[in-house]
Amino acid sequence: MNTPAGPTTAIPWQRGVAWLLFLGPFFFLSYGFANSMAARWQVSDALVYEWEQHIPFLPWTILPYWSIDLFYGLSFLLCRTALQVDRHALRLLTAQLVSVACFLAFPLRFSFARPDADGLFGALFDALAGFDLPYNQAPSLHISLLIIIWVRFATATRGPLRWLVDAWAALIAVSVLTTYQHHFIDLPSGALVGLLCLWLWPDEGPTPFSAARWTQSPERRRLAGTYLCGALTAAGLGVLLGGGGLVFVWLGIALALVALNYALLGPAGFQKHAGRHALGAALLLAPYTLGAWLNSRLWTRNSPAPGLIADGVWLGRLPDSGAMRADGFRALLDLTAELPAPKGNWAYMQLPWLDLVPPDSARLEKAAAAIERLRQHGPVLVCCALGYSRSASAVAAWLLATGRASSVDAALAILQQTRPRVVLGPQHRQALARVSPPAELTGGA
């Protein structure tokens, strides 16, 4: 007896073609307009490092340089849903709009004389020169589009084919220098635009701004202001130092995004799903994430081990995979929004909460219910960055909701027996006092 095949999802290629019919002309019109305006203004400014004069001119790299046009069109065939098609197209459109706006606001010119090339390579350079004048430099739209297209191909390929995709993408990235189309500064600025587009338009789920609203929380406003000041300081330092000091601009961008999350977007701005941040968010936030991880290790260096609170529920800092296995945990409740979680063979749940912001009673009740569900798998670790605040308030809520503690003071006393540095402020206490057992916990322990 033949078993009927399961339903397959048709590639929404018609939708992709429709987008291409719009994006293609729009690219040439907007890119050409910025080029012609720079020529009319007789732009001569350039941002170039002295060492760039040693970059060789490699005529054959015009092949990978041109190949991005082919991959641009093919990338739409790798989208499996209409939403993916739309988000991919919106990434490409946003990169175009942002880049052209920068070309018009801060026009720059490529300052090296390109050597002559002959044969096929020379013909390709001549064709390129027909519409691409030596302007439209920073950010490199070639790099922005490459990042967006590479992600589309990388998520659809595996094994040796994925290695080939990665290698060819790297070759395209290098080719913007070796074809004498861009100066170095255009590459990181182009990468920034590409990553912002990935962050703005995730493949699935809501966009970061879909549920955005300005916070009324004094704590969040204060922290947003603090991070914004740090962002301006870091970015200013990077611009002042120049050269390798531009890494501080990256830090400034990361801190600015964190400030935006505290002021407007909430935990959703970190784009953490199944314990990992989306690629755009992960790379944009990398300097902040590294700093947050180092801070968590410094604060807990004298007490890295988690503590048993009651009945298989442990409290501690976010562990690594080795610590999870060594301590025999079978479940993990992760309350961090800013740090990636370890991967392993254990039950995992995440409730991303902003650091240093007291949770309300609804979040605490949800955490208490999550802890009780995870207990079914065995010993469960409830964690945040340090294991002193977010996770402590969640475990306190579980103690209260399940009747293991009769009051907030009693719950705090239980916590401090094994985690003496746990301190819950007045707002934590007020929220805990309003915790009532969720329906699934009314049966007690």
Side-chain angles (χ1 to χ4, degrees), residues 21-38:
L21 290 176
F22 166 73
L23 289 171
F26 179 77
F27 171 85
F28 286 104
L29 287 173
S30 59
Y31 190 86
F33 173 73
N35 244 326
S36 64
M37 292 303 296

PDB file of all heavy atoms in Angstrom, residues 21-38:
ATOM      1  N   LEU A  21      10.700  42.944 -10.048  1.00  0.00           N
ATOM      2  CA  LEU A  21      10.275  43.909 -11.065  1.00  0.00           C
ATOM      3  C   LEU A  21      10.219  45.329 -10.510  1.00  0.00           C
ATOM      4  O   LEU A  21      10.335  46.302 -11.260  1.00  0.00           O
ATOM      5  CB  LEU A  21       8.904  43.511 -11.624  1.00  0.00           C
ATOM      6  CG  LEU A  21       8.892  42.257 -12.506  1.00  0.00           C
ATOM      7  CD1 LEU A  21       7.469  41.900 -12.912  1.00  0.00           C
ATOM      8  CD2 LEU A  21       9.773  42.443 -13.738  1.00  0.00           C
ATOM      9  N   PHE A  22      10.049  45.427  -9.201  1.00  0.00           N
ATOM     10  CA  PHE A  22      10.098  46.743  -8.555  1.00  0.00           C
ATOM     11  C   PHE A  22      11.525  47.109  -8.139  1.00  0.00           C
ATOM     12  O   PHE A  22      11.997  48.222  -8.394  1.00  0.00           O
ATOM     13  CB  PHE A  22       9.183  46.774  -7.341  1.00  0.00           C
ATOM     14  CG  PHE A  22       9.422  47.953  -6.439  1.00  0.00           C
ATOM     15  CD1 PHE A  22       9.027  49.238  -6.817  1.00  0.00           C
ATOM     16  CD2 PHE A  22      10.078  47.791  -5.217  1.00  0.00           C
ATOM     17  CE1 PHE A  22       9.267  50.321  -5.987  1.00  0.00           C
ATOM     18  CE2 PHE A  22      10.315  48.873  -4.389  1.00  0.00           C
ATOM     19  CZ  PHE A  22       9.910  50.146  -4.775  1.00  0.00           C
ATOM     20  N   LEU A  23      12.216  46.170  -7.493  1.00  0.00           N
ATOM     21  CA  LEU A  23      13.528  46.470  -6.922  1.00  0.00           C
ATOM     22  C   LEU A  23      14.584  46.752  -7.995  1.00  0.00           C
ATOM     23  O   LEU A  23      15.463  47.600  -7.791  1.00  0.00           O
ATOM     24  CB  LEU A  23      13.992  45.310  -6.034  1.00  0.00           C
ATOM     25  CG  LEU A  23      13.246  45.126  -4.720  1.00  0.00           C
ATOM     26  CD1 LEU A  23      13.657  43.817  -4.050  1.00  0.00           C
ATOM     27  CD2 LEU A  23      13.506  46.294  -3.782  1.00  0.00           C
ATOM     28  N   GLY A  24      14.528  46.026  -9.127  1.00  0.00           N
ATOM     29  CA  GLY A  24      15.527  46.233 -10.172  1.00  0.00           C
ATOM     30  C   GLY A  24      15.544  47.661 -10.698  1.00  0.00           C
ATOM     31  O   GLY A  24      16.567  48.355 -10.619  1.00  0.00           O
ATOM     32  N   PRO A  25      14.429  48.146 -11.234  1.00  0.00           N
ATOM     33  CA  PRO A  25      14.417  49.541 -11.700  1.00  0.00           C
ATOM     34  C   PRO A  25      14.697  50.542 -10.594  1.00  0.00           C
ATOM     35  O   PRO A  25      15.379  51.555 -10.819  1.00  0.00           O
ATOM     36  CB  PRO A  25      12.997  49.706 -12.254  1.00  0.00           C
ATOM     37  CG  PRO A  25      12.554  48.316 -12.602  1.00  0.00           C
ATOM     38  CD  PRO A  25      13.194  47.434 -11.579  1.00  0.00           C
ATOM     39  N   PHE A  26      14.183  50.263  -9.406  1.00  0.00           N
ATOM     40  CA  PHE A  26      14.414  51.203  -8.312  1.00  0.00           C
ATOM     41  C   PHE A  26      15.900  51.305  -7.985  1.00  0.00           C
ATOM     42  O   PHE A  26      16.411  52.395  -7.693  1.00  0.00           O
ATOM     43  CB  PHE A  26      13.640  50.762  -7.060  1.00  0.00           C
ATOM     44  CG  PHE A  26      13.841  51.673  -5.884  1.00  0.00           C
ATOM     45  CD1 PHE A  26      13.196  52.896  -5.822  1.00  0.00           C
ATOM     46  CD2 PHE A  26      14.685  51.314  -4.843  1.00  0.00           C
ATOM     47  CE1 PHE A  26      13.388  53.747  -4.746  1.00  0.00           C
ATOM     48  CE2 PHE A  26      14.886  52.157  -3.769  1.00  0.00           C
ATOM     49  CZ  PHE A  26      14.234  53.372  -3.720  1.00  0.00           C
ATOM     50  N   PHE A  27      16.598  50.163  -8.038  1.00  0.00           N
ATOM     51  CA  PHE A  27      18.034  50.182  -7.770  1.00  0.00           C
ATOM     52  C   PHE A  27      18.757  51.097  -8.762  1.00  0.00           C
ATOM     53  O   PHE A  27      19.519  51.987  -8.371  1.00  0.00           O
ATOM     54  CB  PHE A  27      18.614  48.774  -7.858  1.00  0.00           C
ATOM     55  CG  PHE A  27      20.114  48.729  -7.802  1.00  0.00           C
ATOM     56  CD1 PHE A  27      20.784  48.718  -6.593  1.00  0.00           C
ATOM     57  CD2 PHE A  27      20.881  48.729  -8.973  1.00  0.00           C
ATOM     58  CE1 PHE A  27      22.173  48.695  -6.539  1.00  0.00           C
ATOM     59  CE2 PHE A  27      22.260  48.705  -8.931  1.00  0.00           C
ATOM     60  CZ  PHE A  27      22.904  48.686  -7.712  1.00  0.00           C
ATOM     61  N   PHE A  28      18.534  50.877 -10.043  1.00  0.00           N
ATOM     62  CA  PHE A  28      19.271  51.642 -11.048  1.00  0.00           C
ATOM     63  C   PHE A  28      18.893  53.125 -11.020  1.00  0.00           C
ATOM     64  O   PHE A  28      19.754  53.999 -11.201  1.00  0.00           O
ATOM     65  CB  PHE A  28      19.031  51.052 -12.435  1.00  0.00           C
ATOM     66  CG  PHE A  28      19.757  49.756 -12.656  1.00  0.00           C
ATOM     67  CD1 PHE A  28      19.080  48.550 -12.623  1.00  0.00           C
ATOM     68  CD2 PHE A  28      21.128  49.733 -12.864  1.00  0.00           C
ATOM     69  CE1 PHE A  28      19.756  47.350 -12.809  1.00  0.00           C
ATOM     70  CE2 PHE A  28      21.815  48.541 -13.056  1.00  0.00           C
ATOM     71  CZ  PHE A  28      21.121  47.352 -13.023  1.00  0.00           C
ATOM     72  N   LEU A  29      17.627  53.419 -10.753  1.00  0.00           N
ATOM     73  CA  LEU A  29      17.201  54.817 -10.724  1.00  0.00           C
ATOM     74  C   LEU A  29      17.786  55.548  -9.518  1.00  0.00           C
ATOM     75  O   LEU A  29      18.344  56.650  -9.656  1.00  0.00           O
ATOM     76  CB  LEU A  29      15.673  54.897 -10.696  1.00  0.00           C
ATOM     77  CG  LEU A  29      14.961  54.537 -12.006  1.00  0.00           C
ATOM     78  CD1 LEU A  29      13.448  54.482 -11.801  1.00  0.00           C
ATOM     79  CD2 LEU A  29      15.314  55.532 -13.106  1.00  0.00           C
ATOM     80  N   SER A  30      17.669  54.951  -8.330  1.00  0.00           N
ATOM     81  CA  SER A  30      18.130  55.633  -7.118  1.00  0.00           C
ATOM     82  C   SER A  30      19.649  55.669  -7.047  1.00  0.00           C
ATOM     83  O   SER A  30      20.246  56.712  -6.706  1.00  0.00           O
ATOM     84  CB  SER A  30      17.562  54.944  -5.875  1.00  0.00           C
ATOM     85  OG  SER A  30      17.954  53.584  -5.819  1.00  0.00           O
ATOM     86  N   TYR A  31      20.300  54.558  -7.393  1.00  0.00           N
ATOM     87  CA  TYR A  31      21.761  54.507  -7.370  1.00  0.00           C
ATOM     88  C   TYR A  31      22.330  55.468  -8.413  1.00  0.00           C
ATOM     89  O   TYR A  31      23.292  56.207  -8.147  1.00  0.00           O
ATOM     90  CB  TYR A  31      22.223  53.076  -7.644  1.00  0.00           C
ATOM     91  CG  TYR A  31      23.698  52.831  -7.421  1.00  0.00           C
ATOM     92  CD1 TYR A  31      24.176  52.518  -6.158  1.00  0.00           C
ATOM     93  CD2 TYR A  31      24.601  52.898  -8.469  1.00  0.00           C
ATOM     94  CE1 TYR A  31      25.531  52.278  -5.943  1.00  0.00           C
ATOM     95  CE2 TYR A  31      25.950  52.667  -8.271  1.00  0.00           C
ATOM     96  CZ  TYR A  31      26.414  52.352  -7.007  1.00  0.00           C
ATOM     97  OH  TYR A  31      27.746  52.117  -6.793  1.00  0.00           O
ATOM     98  N   GLY A  32      21.731  55.467  -9.606  1.00  0.00           N
ATOM     99  CA  GLY A  32      22.201  56.364 -10.654  1.00  0.00           C
ATOM    100  C   GLY A  32      21.977  57.827 -10.313  1.00  0.00           C
ATOM    101  O   GLY A  32      22.812  58.680 -10.631  1.00  0.00           O
ATOM    102  N   PHE A  33      20.870  58.110  -9.627  1.00  0.00           N
ATOM    103  CA  PHE A  33      20.606  59.493  -9.229  1.00  0.00           C
ATOM    104  C   PHE A  33      21.678  59.993  -8.267  1.00  0.00           C
ATOM    105  O   PHE A  33      22.203  61.103  -8.421  1.00  0.00           O
ATOM    106  CB  PHE A  33      19.225  59.582  -8.582  1.00  0.00           C
ATOM    107  CG  PHE A  33      18.921  60.929  -7.996  1.00  0.00           C
ATOM    108  CD1 PHE A  33      18.635  62.015  -8.810  1.00  0.00           C
ATOM    109  CD2 PHE A  33      18.930  61.115  -6.620  1.00  0.00           C
ATOM    110  CE1 PHE A  33      18.357  63.258  -8.262  1.00  0.00           C
ATOM    111  CE2 PHE A  33      18.654  62.355  -6.062  1.00  0.00           C
ATOM    112  CZ  PHE A  33      18.367  63.435  -6.888  1.00  0.00           C
ATOM    113  N   ALA A  34      22.027  59.165  -7.270  1.00  0.00           N
ATOM    114  CA  ALA A  34      23.062  59.566  -6.306  1.00  0.00           C
ATOM    115  C   ALA A  34      24.405  59.757  -7.009  1.00  0.00           C
ATOM    116  O   ALA A  34      25.162  60.686  -6.700  1.00  0.00           O
ATOM    117  CB  ALA A  34      23.175  58.519  -5.201  1.00  0.00           C
ATOM    118  N   ASN A  35      24.709  58.877  -7.960  1.00  0.00           N
ATOM    119  CA  ASN A  35      25.952  59.003  -8.717  1.00  0.00           C
ATOM    120  C   ASN A  35      25.991  60.306  -9.510  1.00  0.00           C
ATOM    121  O   ASN A  35      26.989  61.034  -9.504  1.00  0.00           O
ATOM    122  CB  ASN A  35      26.069  57.820  -9.684  1.00  0.00           C
ATOM    123  CG  ASN A  35      27.258  56.925  -9.358  1.00  0.00           C
ATOM    124  OD1 ASN A  35      28.293  57.400  -8.908  1.00  0.00           O
ATOM    125  ND2 ASN A  35      27.098  55.636  -9.584  1.00  0.00           N
ATOM    126  N   SER A  36      24.896  60.602 -10.207  1.00  0.00           N
ATOM    127  CA  SER A  36      24.868  61.802 -11.043  1.00  0.00           C
ATOM    128  C   SER A  36      24.933  63.071 -10.210  1.00  0.00           C
ATOM    129  O   SER A  36      25.554  64.065 -10.619  1.00  0.00           O
ATOM    130  CB  SER A  36      23.614  61.793 -11.917  1.00  0.00           C
ATOM    131  OG  SER A  36      22.440  61.859 -11.120  1.00  0.00           O
ATOM    132  N   MET A  37      24.307  63.055  -9.043  1.00  0.00           N
ATOM    133  CA  MET A  37      24.363  64.228  -8.184  1.00  0.00           C
ATOM    134  C   MET A  37      25.780  64.462  -7.680  1.00  0.00           C
ATOM    135  O   MET A  37      26.258  65.609  -7.634  1.00  0.00           O
ATOM    136  CB  MET A  37      23.402  64.060  -7.005  1.00  0.00           C
ATOM    137  CG  MET A  37      21.937  64.080  -7.386  1.00  0.00           C
ATOM    138  SD  MET A  37      21.444  65.598  -8.255  1.00  0.00           S
ATOM    139  CE  MET A  37      21.722  66.829  -6.991  1.00  0.00           C
ATOM    140  N   ALA A  38      26.494  63.384  -7.307  1.00  0.00           N
ATOM    141  CA  ALA A  38      27.877  63.534  -6.851  1.00  0.00           C
ATOM    142  C   ALA A  38      28.755  64.072  -7.969  1.00  0.00           C
ATOM    143  O   ALA A  38      29.647  64.907  -7.739  1.00  0.00           O
ATOM    144  CB  ALA A  38      28.406  62.192  -6.347  1.00  0.00           C
TER     145      ALA A  38
END
